[in-house]
């Protein structure tokens, strides 16, 4: 089993930046895909970014150009760099992981694809 632990959340003003980290431990797998989801109060969990084992990145339109996900295999850590934050980015942020699929498409948007989840870290953006 794989354990994921997020950190780096906090409160910032609009226009500010935060970097979230997600450290993986436990069982090791080859060819792992990692994703980031967020859930605002009263809303569903939204897939916003992902990176596959070859470093290919995917982003939701809502964060494209502002957020960047990076995977550091040596440290078993995934990062989500968030710039130009907006109040609508306020949510609980979760990292997730799973063995990469053998198909393309928007697997990263589907929370059912991911096997491993962190407990989340809160991001609050004030106007």
């Amino acid at each position: 089993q794989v354990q994921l632990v997020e950190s780096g959340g906090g409160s910032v003003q609009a226009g500010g930046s935060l970097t979230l980290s997600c450290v993986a431990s436990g069982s090791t797998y080859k060819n792992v895909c990692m994703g980031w989801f967020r859930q605002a109060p009263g809303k569903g969990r939204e897939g916003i970014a992902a990176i596959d084992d070859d470093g290919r990145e995917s982003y939701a339109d809502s964060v494209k150009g502002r957020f960047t996900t990076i995977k550091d295999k040596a440290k078993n850590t995934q990062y989500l760099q968030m710039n130009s934050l907006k109040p609508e980015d306020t949510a609980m942020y979760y990292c997730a992981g799973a063995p990469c699929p053998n198909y393309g498409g928007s697997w990263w948007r589907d929370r059912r694809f991911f096997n491993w989840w962190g407990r989340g870290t809160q991001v609050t953006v004030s106007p």
Side-chain angles (χ1 to χ4, degrees):
Q1 191 58 280
V2 174
Q3 292 79 44
L4 302 177
V5 179
E6 305 96 336
S7 62
S11 298
V12 296
Q13 289 189 321
S17 299
L18 282 174
T19 298
L20 307 183
S21 301
C22 172
V23 179
S25 62
S27 302
T28 57
Y29 292 80
K30 293 182 178 180
N31 199 24
V32 173
C33 284
M34 300 296 294
W36 287 96
F37 285 72
R38 67 184 181 185
Q39 187 165 16
K43 296 189 177 181
R45 196 168 293 191
E46 172 193 21
I48 58 170
I51 187 166
D52 70 14
D53 204 61
D54 292 323
R56 285 185 292 258
E57 303 161 40
S58 301
Y59 297 96
D61 288 344
S62 58
V63 306
K64 194 174 295 182
R66 300 188 297 123
F67 291 11
T68 303
T69 185
I70 301 167
K71 186 193 291 187
D72 186 334
K73 289 186 178 182
K75 295 182 178 179
N76 289 329
T77 301
Q78 179 188 204
Y79 302 95
L80 184 68
Q81 295 179 340
M82 305 185 296
N83 298 321
S84 302
L85 283 161
K86 305 175 181 179
E88 51 263 44
D89 294 320
T90 294
M92 184 72 77
Y93 283 70
Y94 301 88
C95 72
C100 289
N102 56 6
Y103 54 87
S106 300
W107 51 267
W108 55 276
R109 295 181 184 272
D110 188 351
R111 60 182 296 180
R112 297 171 297 178
F113 167 80
F114 292 91
N115 299 333
W116 317 305
W117 289 87
R119 294 193 173 191
T121 184
Q122 178 68 36
V123 171
T124 302
V125 185
S126 57

